[in-house]
Amino acid sequence: MAIVSQKVSDLSGKQGDDKQFAAVVVRQHPDIDQPKALDVLVPELKQFNDISADLVILEVTMPNGAKQDVYVPLEEFNKAAPNMGEVLKNARGTRGRVPGTRVGNGNG
């Protein structure tokens, strides 16, 4: 007698072996308060339309120090300023020197 291990898709209930499944972690959803793991058959992944190429992820820090991640479609983000590409190009980085500053001892 042999024991056969089969997984079941959390989405469709279809069975398969480990090699047919992807592990999907839902990190944020209005119905959950912590990440949840799903077993999903690889062909079922095409149901999830990846918009990451057209998504801007912002980290917003409020004056009281509270932080929040905000996800904005690229098209909407670019409407925030008439020249958003130039605004981003000239914005200060999160590390290092402010744009336009030079390294030196001031004797030059």
Side-chain angles (χ1 to χ4, degrees):
M1 182 161 129
I3 297 174
V4 178
S5 176
Q6 292 278 305
K7 271 190 176 179
V8 176
S9 169
D10 290 313
L11 301 181
S12 65
K14 293 180 181 175
Q15 293 183 351
D17 61 36
D18 283 343
K19 295 176 189 167
Q20 296 173 294
F21 281 85
V24 176
V25 176
V26 181
R27 297 212 178 272
Q28 186 174 333
H29 186 283
D31 294 339
I32 60 174
D33 59 359
Q34 63 182 352
K36 301 288 185 171
L38 300 174
D39 293 321
V40 179
L41 287 163
V42 171
E44 295 174 336
L45 292 173
K46 58 186 158 188
Q47 298 179 78
F48 303 123
N49 184 21
D50 183 7
I51 62 167
S52 63
D54 296 326
L55 192 64
V56 177
I57 302 172
L58 310 172
E59 178 185 294
V60 178
T61 304
M62 299 303 288
N64 67 1
K67 288 187 179 184
Q68 176 182 356
D69 289 337
V70 178
Y71 301 84
V72 183
L74 178 62
E75 185 177 327
E76 294 300 313
F77 178 78
N78 286 339
K79 291 178 185 177
N83 57 341
M84 186 54 82
E86 197 66 24
V87 169
L88 287 173
K89 180 181 172 189
N90 293 325
R92 63 182 166 79
T94 58
R95 296 182 286 166
R97 299 186 306 273
V98 176
T101 60
R102 296 187 339 197
V103 176
N105 60 11
N107 293 333

